[in-house]
Amino acid sequence: MSNLEELYKAIETLKKNNIKIDDDLSRRLDEAEEKIIRDEIIPIIGNDIEPTLRQIKRKLVLVVDYDPEKSLNVRMTRKRVVTDVSDTKEYPLLPLTQDINPIRKQKTHVIIHPRTHLRVTFPDGTMLTDRKAITTFLRAIERIGLEKIEKLGIITDRTNLIVRSPKSNGSHAEWHRVRDWYVNTHSSTMSKAKHLNKISNSLRLNLRIEIV
């Protein structure tokens, strides 16, 4: 269960037990929710949408209007959006990077967003986790077997996840060499977890994949 789910569960428990949520408690709950969204949700959103937004070469403003009971609404404008500063807070999705070239050169290492990590647990109890999700991802793939995964034909960022000879093909691929294979690691932590889940299900490995 995520921290956000635990917070909402605690609120529901208070309501079910008819415990009054006064102004002070309401303020603290709001602060806790905002902190989780700022530290855990927004970084994941940034990692997921950044590769797509990099295709846009001109400035624009996207305003996301979220209501859990309605479909997601996104508004676009070329003009500056002015809001009441006292009621809004600004959080950067990702740190600004210098290299925004859509065609990446082959790299031996990459700096990833440090806010989310992967934890992969095998049925025999072996647990792989590192402060960098990319390291955990590569270690898990190597342990499972690169040739077996390559045969699954998993696609990420318009190219195969694992290849013998890397090619750009107009993608944002970032290749890491593992033994005699190359692994495309240009994806968010969430996407890496989805790839590992797909591999686990396809090969019936019964892995436990967590974002922590």
Side-chain angles (χ1 to χ4, degrees):
M1 180 180 296
S2 69
N3 290 331
L4 200 57
E5 289 173 327
E6 290 180 353
L7 176 64
Y8 293 147
K9 185 178 180 180
I11 294 173
E12 287 300 318
T13 300
L14 291 174
K15 292 179 178 179
K16 287 180 180 179
N17 289 279
N18 297 318
I19 299 176
K20 183 180 178 180
I21 300 178
D22 57 24
D23 291 342
D24 181 61
L25 179 56
S26 178
R27 177 185 57 79
R28 287 188 290 161
L29 290 172
D30 288 345
E31 290 175 351
E33 181 186 42
E34 182 178 319
K35 184 178 186 300
I36 294 171
I37 292 173
R38 180 194 67 202
D39 295 344
E40 300 179 18
I41 305 301
I42 290 179
I44 294 175
I45 295 174
N47 278 319
D48 283 341
I49 70 173
E50 188 266 350
T52 301
L53 289 181
R54 285 299 184 192
Q55 301 177 60
I56 302 171
K57 300 301 181 183
R58 299 176 62 197
K59 290 184 178 180
L60 58 81
V61 176
L62 298 176
V63 180
V64 179
D65 186 4
Y66 176 69
D67 184 332
E69 298 181 356
K70 299 179 181 179
S71 59
L72 188 65
N73 182 30
V74 180
R75 300 180 184 182
M76 182 178 71
T77 179
R78 297 285 181 185
K79 299 179 181 180
R80 181 185 177 192
V81 176
V82 180
T83 58
D84 186 345
V85 177
S86 64
D87 291 334
T88 61
K89 296 180 182 179
E90 180 180 354
Y91 300 118
L93 289 178
L94 289 170
L96 182 64
T97 57
Q98 295 181 348
D99 182 15
I100 58 173
N101 191 332
I103 306 299
R104 305 287 181 87
K105 296 180 179 180
Q106 182 177 321
K107 298 179 180 180
T108 56
H109 69 280
V110 61
I111 300 175
I112 66 166
H113 202 285
R115 295 183 183 273
T116 55
H117 317 284
L118 278 176
R119 181 163 60 209
V120 181
T121 307
F122 287 76
D124 65 357
T126 300
M127 180 184 296
L128 302 180
T129 186
D130 189 89
R131 65 186 183 88
K132 292 185 178 181
I134 192 172
T135 303
T136 305
F137 183 67
L138 293 173
R139 288 176 61 197
I141 282 180
E142 183 177 20
R143 180 180 173 85
I144 294 167
L146 291 99
E147 186 171 359
K148 291 191 293 185
I149 298 174
E150 189 271 340
K151 291 179 180 178
L152 298 177
I154 297 174
I155 301 296
T156 180
D157 193 27
R158 294 178 294 175
T159 188
N160 288 332
L161 176 63
I162 297 178
V163 298
R164 283 287 192 182
S165 301
K167 297 179 181 179
S168 63
N169 293 330
S171 70
H172 295 72
E174 293 176 345
W175 299 105
H176 284 69
R177 185 170 182 176
V178 180
R179 298 183 184 275
D180 296 327
W181 299 83
Y182 290 86
V183 181
N184 182 7
T185 59
H186 186 263
S187 59
S188 65
T189 302
M190 180 70 73
S191 295
K192 288 179 175 67
K194 289 180 179 178
H195 288 325
L196 289 173
N197 270 310
K198 185 174 183 178
I199 292 168
S200 177
N201 292 334
S202 298
L203 300 177
R204 299 179 180 180
L205 301 176
N206 194 29
L207 300 180
R208 183 180 180 185
I209 295 98
E210 302 168 274
I211 295 179
V212 295

